[in-house]
């Protein structure tokens, strides 16, 4: 009887152990499956990030190759500073030589035609500007050229024939209003004087298609109108000769 009880007891313990073992295995399998599901989405996420990174690297390489980016060795500051300097210096020297040559030419031409102390000159890119006091050509407030004026204009015509460009004859006055004159304003006076000079130059052999007359009245003074000396300088006639592309030095 005791042996039977012992056998039954062993059998019950064996069944209980088997049941517990099966339950623990079932629980472990469920936990493993849950962990596997959790790890699966992380693996997929990391794979996606890797693919995106590779895509960005490829796109960057393509864009750099299209832009033609080149890696160059650094250039020394001394080399950069000297690049282009010879050409720039040569151009400056050439322009300076042109200016000096033109000044000597104008001085020689004016001096050889008895105009050295009579006319002032100014050179600027593309033109030479000759000017003289109006009282050397006209009486005060008048537009009739004097006998001495015609001799002076004859010499000026010789000078102008040395150049081929168009010529503007510009009349200028001071700012004093006209009184007891047949002209209503300084505009009329300056324009009439410029026209009288143009007509005289045409008679002296200057082609009329090269000439035009302009009156500026007192709008372009070269001195102060507050003094008598300044007003005398402003009463002037200018001969502005266009020189063309061969006369291109800087101001």
């Amino acid at each position: 009887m005791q042996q039977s009880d012992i056998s039954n007891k062993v059998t019950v313990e064996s069944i209980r152990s088997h049941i517990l073992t099966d339950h623990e295995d079932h629980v472990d399998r469920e936990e493993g499956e849950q962990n596997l599901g959790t790890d699966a989405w992380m693996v997929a996420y990391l794979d996606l990030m890797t693919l995106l990174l590779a895509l960005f690297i490829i796109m960057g390489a393509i864009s750099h190759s299209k832009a033609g980016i080149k890696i160059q060795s650094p250039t020394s500051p001394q080399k950069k500073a000297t690049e282009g300097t010879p050409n720039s210096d040569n151009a400056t020297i050439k322009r300076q030589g042109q200016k000096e040559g033109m000044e000597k030419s104008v001085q020689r031409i004016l001096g050889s035609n008895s105009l050295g102390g009579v006319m002032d000159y100014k050179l600027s890119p593309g033109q030479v500007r000759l000017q003289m006091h109006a009282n050397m050509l006209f009486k005060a407030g008048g537009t009739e050229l004097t006998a001495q004026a015609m001799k002076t204009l004859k010499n000026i015509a010789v000078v102008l024939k040395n150049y081929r460009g168009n010529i503007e004859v510009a009349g200028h006055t001071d700012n004093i209003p006209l009184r007891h004159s047949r002209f209503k304003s300084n505009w009329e006076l300056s324009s009439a004087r410029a026209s009288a000079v143009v007509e005289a130059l045409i008679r002296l052999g200057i082609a009329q298609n090269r000439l035009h007359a302009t009156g500026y009245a007192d709008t372009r003074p070269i001195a102060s109108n507050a003094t008598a000396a300044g007003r005398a300088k402003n009463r002037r006639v200018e001969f502005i000769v266009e020189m063309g592309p061969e006369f291109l030095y800087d101001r």
Side-chain angles (χ1 to χ4, degrees), residues 48-110:
L48 178 60
M49 290 296 101
T50 303
L51 290 173
L52 288 175
L53 179 60
L55 178 62
F56 288 145
I57 293 173
I58 294 172
M59 291 177 64
I62 293 174
S63 64
H64 281 287
S65 63
K66 287 184 177 180
I69 296 176
K70 297 180 179 179
I71 299 176
Q72 296 179 350
S73 59
T75 304
S76 64
Q78 184 178 3
K79 183 177 180 181
K80 288 184 177 180
T82 57
E83 285 182 353
T85 301
N87 290 336
S88 177
D89 288 345
N90 289 339
T92 301
I93 293 172
K94 183 178 180 180
R95 288 192 296 268
Q96 186 64 28
Q98 287 178 335
K99 181 178 180 180
E100 293 176 355
M102 198 66 196
E103 287 180 345
K104 291 180 180 179
S105 175
V106 172
Q107 292 171 359
R108 175 177 53 78
I109 293 172
L110 293 178

Side-chain angles (χ1 to χ4, degrees), residues 167-188:
I167 305 163
E168 176 188 0
V169 179
H172 300 269
T173 68
D174 57 27
N175 65 344
I176 303 300
L178 296 177
R179 296 185 179 90
H180 311 295
S181 174
R182 61 190 179 95
F183 299 104
K184 296 179 181 180
S185 67
N186 283 318
W187 286 103
E188 289 187 3

Side-chain angles (χ1 to χ4, degrees), residues 233-251:
K233 290 182 178 180
N234 291 332
R235 296 189 295 268
R236 67 194 190 278
V237 175
E238 291 183 326
F239 304 83
I240 305 160
V241 186
E242 301 299 329
M243 301 300 296
E246 69 278 4
F247 190 49
L248 299 175
Y249 65 85
D250 291 339
R251 291 180 186 273

Side-chain angles (χ1 to χ4, degrees), residues 139-224:
K139 293 181 179 180
T143 59
E144 297 293 330
L145 291 166
T146 65
Q148 182 60 39
M150 291 305 300
K151 293 180 181 179
T152 302
L153 286 176
K154 185 177 180 180
N155 293 332
I156 293 175
V158 174
V159 172
L160 295 177
K161 288 177 182 178
N162 285 272
Y163 307 107
R164 295 176 295 175
N166 293 331
I167 305 163
E168 176 188 0
V169 179
H172 300 269
T173 68
D174 57 27
N175 65 344
I176 303 300
L178 296 177
R179 296 185 179 90
H180 311 295
S181 174
R182 61 190 179 95
F183 299 104
K184 296 179 181 180
S185 67
N186 283 318
W187 286 103
E188 289 187 3
L189 176 60
S190 61
S191 299
R193 283 180 169 178
S195 297
V197 172
V198 165
E199 290 175 358
L201 291 176
I202 292 172
R203 293 195 299 271
L204 291 169
I206 304 298
Q208 60 181 355
N209 62 349
R210 294 180 57 199
L211 294 162
H212 67 277
T214 309
Y216 290 102
D218 61 337
T219 60
R220 298 188 179 184
I222 58 174
S224 173

